[in-house]
Amino acid sequence: MKNDLTCAVVRDLLPSCVENLAAAETVQAVERHLAACSDCAAKHAAMVDPELAAKLAEERRELDYLKRVKRRSRFRILAAVVCTVLVIAGGFAAKIFLIGTPIQPQTYALRHYVDEENVLHLVIDCTASGMAYYGWDIDRGEDGLVEIFGRTVTVSPVHKEGWGRLTVPLEGVREVRLCGDVVYQDGVVVGNAAMQRYKARTPYVGDAPALGWVAEAVGLDGQNWSYTTKLQTGERPYRWTLKFQDHWGDTSAGKWMRYYYGPQMLALVDNLDEVGWTYTTATSSGKTFCEGVLTLEEADAHLAELLERSGLDGRWKELKSVKDFAATPAGMQVLYDLLWEDLETIFNSRMWIETVPSESAPDGADFLGT
């Protein structure tokens, strides 16, 4: 028999069922309904046994309470999960849009100069799209050290500017650092190129990875210059030889190595005694194998000539070796400028255009120490 009795019908039939006055089929239908309906079952129990009815009612109340507790627990867990997600999302949003991270030197392009009033001007531009700078802090120490810090965040309505314009009066200032990199030292404006060279210094010619960083820092990055390296470290003099694989149209490669790259390589590797190079020139008459060596003594002798011709003050002329100049960022900048100015006198404009491949030129605007 289909159990399609409603609660109202069952409650009307309960007295008859309790007193055994209902038909068997009716009793069965009522019992099926009672098995599925706790309310009607409680009324039936109350008619049959009042004590059992009270017990069932208590159990029902406990069951209802547990259901309410379970529903509240589920809601609390869900609310806790939602709150946790919101807190994490809020913290992440605050981190990338409001707090950010300290600015790193490799993320900005810098232009800086000292004006006639002895004030250092810094023009700082972010090189990453969608990023902004804020929170510039200039900390002046008692020892003449000025440190400048800032933070970078994702661009938002709160922080919109991806640049900074700062000025630092240099009266009593010995050194200025921007986000950890030296930009001014002992009266010298230090450019990014010189600073990268200074940071690439290494004490040992036998450290091949470090030599790779030196080569990249001075402009021999392997993309524009194809070469292999040979090291002589068994006995003095220690030599670092570059074997260029590309063909050149003339002998300008030797000038670049002797008057520009070689002295810097000698300066940046403490125990390096000589720099060697080999290359092949391709001319109308055929290919010619060329090689050369620059010793530390030769580089230092040429440096002395450059210092004598320069208008630098006596403190720089007291330095005797290219390695002495590499000891400080300012010294590296001075050496860098001396070598580049000398190279400009070696190559006249016509030779520069006709004989030097454009990809062989050093790193662009950094020639001027900007």
Side-chain angles (χ1 to χ4, degrees):
M1 179 178 180
K2 186 178 180 180
N3 183 19
D4 55 359
L5 299 179
T6 65
C7 289
V9 172
V10 169
R11 290 169 186 173
D12 288 341
L13 294 174
L14 281 179
S16 298
C17 292
V18 171
E19 296 177 4
N20 296 321
L21 299 177
E25 290 184 357
T26 300
V27 172
Q28 293 175 359
V30 170
E31 288 178 347
R32 284 196 296 271
H33 181 86
L34 296 177
C37 180
S38 58
D39 289 340
C40 292
K43 290 186 176 295
H44 177 262
M47 293 179 183
V48 176
D49 186 346
E51 294 183 359
L52 178 59
K55 183 177 179 181
L56 290 176
E58 179 64 23
E59 291 177 352
R60 182 180 177 185
R61 285 193 296 272
E62 292 178 357
L63 181 61
D64 291 342
Y65 173 76
L66 292 175
K67 288 181 179 179
R68 290 195 300 272
V69 170
K70 187 175 183 180
R71 284 196 296 269
R72 286 197 296 267
S73 297
R74 287 178 178 173
F75 175 78
R76 290 171 179 170
I77 292 174
L78 178 61
V81 171
V82 171
C83 289
T84 301
V85 171
L86 291 177
V87 169
I88 294 175
F92 181 73
K95 175 67 174 178
I96 63 173
F97 291 108
L98 299 177
I99 301 174
T101 57
I103 296 174
Q104 300 300 316
Q106 62 269 23
T107 67
Y108 63 72
L110 175 66
R111 291 166 288 161
H112 55 316
Y113 64 94
V114 178
D115 65 16
E116 296 178 353
E117 297 181 355
N118 200 28
V119 175
L120 176 65
H121 294 257
L122 304 169
V123 182
I124 310 153
D125 294 306
C126 182
T127 58
S129 61
M131 302 303 293
Y133 287 163
Y134 84 103
W136 294 105
D137 179 32
I138 301 178
D139 182 15
R140 288 180 170 270
E142 296 181 355
D143 56 352
L145 173 63
V146 175
E147 295 194 77
I148 304 173
F149 301 98
R151 301 190 71 82
T152 180
V153 294
T154 301
V155 171
S156 70
V158 178
H159 300 298
K160 304 177 182 179
E161 299 175 345
W163 52 269
R165 305 291 186 271
L166 307 174
T167 58
V168 180
L170 295 177
E171 182 66 30
V173 173
R174 173 183 55 84
E175 180 174 307
V176 178
R177 297 178 186 172
L178 175 62
C179 303
D181 270 8
V182 175
V183 296
Y184 174 89
Q185 186 180 63
D186 297 329
V188 177
V189 175
V190 180
N192 178 67
M195 189 62 199
Q196 295 308 310
R197 285 159 167 76
Y198 172 76
K199 292 195 292 187
R201 293 175 308 151
T202 181
Y204 306 114
V205 68
D207 188 344
L211 295 187
W213 299 330
V214 169
E216 181 176 356
V218 301
L220 296 167
D221 57 10
Q223 296 179 358
N224 300 326
W225 298 72
S226 181
Y227 63 87
T228 58
T229 291
K230 179 181 178 181
L231 300 178
Q232 166 58 41
T233 59
E235 60 181 2
R236 290 288 183 123
Y238 297 152
R239 180 184 295 182
W240 177 11
T241 301
L242 302 184
K243 297 183 176 182
F244 294 102
Q245 298 173 351
D246 292 341
H247 290 174
W248 293 70
D250 67 320
T251 59
S252 62
K255 294 184 177 68
W256 281 98
M257 289 300 299
R258 180 170 296 279
Y259 298 110
Y260 184 75
Y261 293 112
Q264 294 181 74
M265 295 159 66
L266 287 166
L268 296 174
V269 184
D270 290 351
N271 68 341
L272 180 61
D273 301 315
E274 298 177 349
V275 171
W277 58 89
T278 64
Y279 62 97
T280 301
T281 61
T283 63
S284 58
S285 59
K287 297 179 180 179
T288 302
F289 177 78
C290 302
E291 62 182 348
V293 175
L294 174 67
T295 68
L296 178 60
E297 290 76 12
E298 291 171 333
D300 290 344
H302 186 61
L303 174 64
E305 296 176 5
L306 298 181
L307 288 171
E308 189 63 30
R309 297 200 303 260
S310 73
L312 296 174
D313 57 38
R315 59 180 173 140
W316 298 112
K317 294 181 180 180
E318 292 176 359
L319 302 182
K320 303 302 181 183
S321 173
V322 292
K323 295 183 186 296
D324 297 333
F325 281 82
T328 64
M332 194 67 233
Q333 181 67 61
V334 171
L335 176 64
Y336 177 79
D337 291 339
L338 286 172
L339 295 175
W340 179 246
E341 291 170 4
D342 180 55
L343 198 64
E344 286 185 316
T345 64
I346 296 174
F347 290 109
N348 61 46
S349 298
R350 184 172 180 81
M351 289 177 61
W352 186 279
I353 296 172
E354 293 183 350
T355 65
V356 181
S358 60
E359 67 269 16
S360 71
D363 33 6
D366 281 342
F367 285 169
L368 304 179
T370 57

